[in-house]
Amino acid sequence: MLKRIDILIMAFCTGLIVANIYYCQPLVILIADDFQLSESNAGRITYLTQIGYALGLFLLVPLGDMFERKKQILVITVMAIIALLVAAVSKTFLLLEMASVLIGACSIVPQLILPLAANLSSDENRGANIGMIMSGLLVGILASRAVSGSIGFWLGWRAMYYIAAAICALLLLLMAKRFPKSLPAFKGTYKQLMGSMFGYIKSQPALRETSLINFFAFAIISAFWTTMVLFLANPPFNFQTLQIGLFGIAGAAGALAAPLVGKLSDGNNPRKNLMIGFIMQIISMAMFYFTGANLFVFVAGIILIDIAQQAIHVTNQTKIYTLIPEARNRLNTIFMSVSFIGASCGSALGLWLWGQGGWNLFCYGITGIIVLNILIYLYYGRKQNITKIQ
């Protein structure tokens, strides 16, 4: 079984590696200036990185059920270092776009660490351990924006990619020394491995429900963080990259709720966490809509929407890991691939809503997605009740 220090190390590595996907968001304005592009066009790298992550999840994460996980984690981290260095030296925006897809695909290590932790955790501690690692992951996601905005402002956007590559190199040494080995349970071929996932989609209604709800939850949070950069860079705020990046600290504060959500998800009725998350999302969107020039309300909304995201995501992921223990990597592949397809769609939608009607239309559109997610939640809840009665 895992010790607390093992979980903390996993959380630390998870947070620093997943940050690779999000460094680009506050840098969009600087990249647009460098390549002489509009901010909306430069913003493409945000959802291309997320598309790459979804591809990596689908093609590489299932291998964790087939090969030894520690070795896979180390090999993919080396690939991430190379992709980050390519981005840093990109002379054309097309090369940066291609590197962004590779960065996303090679930043899937957190989704290998989570099943590794789940496999080595006891049933009564699994949710709490996942929550702790998710806390590290979420702090990494949100703090990455503050770090990236600051470094981009002082040293330029390329410096952030060089620094990220150096961080991954140090993590490579730490993980090689400290991570335990985890032998796989699957003995078939890669084709059989991938084919089995479609069988799980068909046979596991809980997998379909959690994946669909997470698709829209990730679309919502990704749309917000992508569009927020444009909102704050324009009147009435006219903030620079450094100032915009600091708003990630507010979101990181909300990540402290992840271990608590994980413990609650080990209880008898974790579905209530989902409804709490939906309600907090609606309240946060109302706060964003009525923000005006009140930054205190805006910051409070950031904290709330990130706590809501944790309530939904940690609850769903804990549920996924209880379904079929020997197929955790494959189930996590389906779950997280769908989630990050949702994230990439959300980023694209956020940019489109901004272009069509600014911040107000963005708030209307995202509120509509939250309502849709509530309807999906109620639909599956009703089906479960009917099944129990029968």
Side-chain angles (χ1 to χ4, degrees), residues 15-35:
L16 288 175
I17 293 176
V18 79
N20 293 339
I21 308 170
Y22 300 96
Y23 287 136
C24 62
Q25 292 181 352
L27 301 176
V28 165
I29 299 169
L30 297 176
I31 292 170
D33 290 340
D34 194 2
F35 290 106

Side-chain angles (χ1 to χ4, degrees), residues 27 30 151-160:
L27 301 176
L30 297 176
I151 290 175
F153 179 80
W154 293 110
L155 302 175
W157 67 268
R158 295 180 188 275
M160 186 64 253

Side-chain angles (χ1 to χ4, degrees), residues 60-257:
L60 301 177
V61 170
L63 293 173
D65 285 336
M66 190 173 179
F67 299 116
E68 200 279 309
R69 288 187 178 95
K70 179 179 177 178
K71 184 180 293 184
Q72 186 186 9
I73 287 170
L74 297 179
V75 169
I76 293 176
T77 302
V78 171
M79 294 168 61
I81 294 169
I82 295 171
L84 288 163
L85 292 174
V86 170
V89 301
S90 297
K91 299 300 182 184
T92 66
F93 186 66
L94 176 60
L95 182 58
L96 180 59
E97 288 180 305
M98 295 169 63
S100 296
V101 174
L102 291 174
I103 288 169
C106 298
S107 297
I108 58 159
V109 169
Q111 302 309 323
L112 297 171
I113 293 175
L114 281 162
L116 176 64
N119 270 5
L120 299 174
S121 297
S122 62
D123 291 341
E124 60 270 20
N125 292 325
R126 185 170 294 115
N129 287 347
I130 290 171
M132 181 67 71
I133 295 173
M134 281 300 303
S135 184
L137 183 144
L138 291 164
V139 169
I141 290 172
L142 300 166
S144 66
R145 299 181 176 100
V147 171
S148 179
S150 301
I151 290 175
F153 179 80
W154 293 110
L155 302 175
W157 67 268
R158 295 180 188 275
M160 186 64 253
Y161 287 102
Y162 281 120
I163 292 170
I167 290 171
C168 285
L170 293 175
L171 292 178
L172 183 69
L173 299 176
L174 177 62
M175 293 186 294
K177 182 175 179 62
R178 292 295 313 218
F179 274 23
K181 290 187 176 182
S182 177
L183 297 177
F186 186 81
K187 302 298 183 183
T189 64
Y190 182 69
K191 182 178 180 180
Q192 292 171 331
L193 183 79
M194 299 300 288
S196 67
M197 291 197 298
F198 296 99
Y200 293 137
I201 294 172
K202 183 177 180 181
S203 64
Q204 299 292 326
L207 176 61
R208 296 195 296 271
E209 178 192 9
T210 53
S211 298
L212 188 56
I213 288 174
N214 245 48
F215 174 92
F216 289 109
F218 267 62
I220 291 162
I221 196 70
S222 183
F224 167 72
W225 282 105
T226 299
T227 312
M228 181 204 74
V229 174
L230 305 182
F231 176 58
L232 294 177
N234 285 275
F237 302 108
N238 295 311
F239 286 157
Q240 294 180 315
T241 300
L242 172 63
Q243 295 165 307
I244 293 171
L246 292 175
F247 281 84
I249 297 173
L256 298 175

Side-chain angles (χ1 to χ4, degrees), residues 285-301:
M285 292 312 301
M287 295 170 76
F288 295 142
Y289 181 79
F290 293 109
T291 291
N294 191 324
L295 285 179
F296 290 105
V297 176
F298 191 78
V299 169

